[in-house]
Amino acid sequence: MEPFVFFGGKGGVGKTTVSSSYAVKCAQAGHETLIVSTDPAHSVSDVFDQPFGDDARPVEGTEHLWAMQIDPDEEVTRHLDEIRQNLSEQVSAAMVGEINRQLEMAHGTPGAYEAALFDRFVDVMRSADRYDRVVFDTSPTGGTLRLLGLPDLLEQWVDRLMQKREVSIDLFEKAAVGNNDPRRVMEGDPVLARLQERKEFFEFAGRTLREDAAFFLVLNPDELSVNETERAIAELDDAELSVRGLVANKLTPEPDPDENGRGARYLRDRIATETERLDRVREEFAPPLVATIETRVSEIKGDLLTDVAAELDIETTVDPPTVTSN
Ligand SMILES: Nc1ncnc2c1ncn2[C@@H]1O[C@H](COP(=O)(O)OP(=O)(O)O)[C@@H](O)[C@H]1O
Ligand SMILES: [Mg+2]
């Protein structure tokens, strides 16, 4: 299977739990595996009972496994600082104050958050040579997926800017015959260079996600989660990314057959409802259901991760990446 594996789904369904279990499964199969987590609330640090940070660290007690925890807030700040730096090198001092005001406003928007995380994911994919497999415990959603259409847009933009600049440089050259400087100005134009760089970045992202990544969605057996999953499948489909499989988590466990008290009756009723929901998933959704995981009595960590890993019908074999960055 592809080297990059994403687990998506809404908050609380079990992305971190399932992706950690899958990462353990890959590591136990002997693949150098990195799990990348972005959720500060319940993250790989809780699952593995070990602090993780912005760079990959080995997971204690599990050979071949590494983990990294990206703080989205820090990522947004860093991302905006980078934009600020880039722009202030290119515009007049008078503009810098205005740009800073605009960036401060952009900081709070959900788009900034998603864009910054997306940039970071792509960076991780670009520099993942030392791992056989990278598991992401969040998958790109609507906003970020739309960024994948950006290369075409940027291409046209860069082309038009080039033409405009060529015309003005041509006029400039006619006025100053024999001077070759203007041509050099165009070739070294920092704005065009930056646009070109962004275009290549998104091109790499799009190709890597389409050719070297597999997407799984985690869901719970309730109506809300099933509907949300249907939307996510369509969204990914629109971006030409197909969902490889669905993981149903937090299923109600069955009581023993001879139990008939109130608790047992409640469990059976719940199971009947959940079965209906999952039947709909099996019949109407294109991606196959690759695991059904019961709710455990406690949080899933330690040996429980290996138990859950065994329930995932997702292969661990790794095909090397087909896309290279440059
Ligand atoms: N099958 C399960 N049984 C028991 N607890 C679970 C199970 N799956 C997830 N949990 C717990 O539910 C909470 C949310 O799970 P998590 O994996 O953090 O979801 P997400 O990453 O999608 O927000 C965590 O406390 C986790 O330990
Ligand atoms: Mg999580």
Side-chain angles (χ1 to χ4, degrees), residues 12-17 42 249-250 294-296 298-300:
V13 291
K15 291 181 297 297
T16 305
T17 306
H42 174 256
N249 183 33
K250 299 195 182 177
E294 284 185 359
T295 302
R296 306 303 210 271
S298 65
E299 284 76 31
I300 295 176

Side-chain angles (χ1 to χ4, degrees), residues 24 33 35 48 50 52 57-67:
V24 165
T33 303
I35 174 157
F48 295 108
Q50 189 191 324
F52 293 106
R57 283 180 220 165
V59 175
E60 282 157 22
T62 310
E63 235 187 313
H64 310 300
L65 185 59
W66 305 70

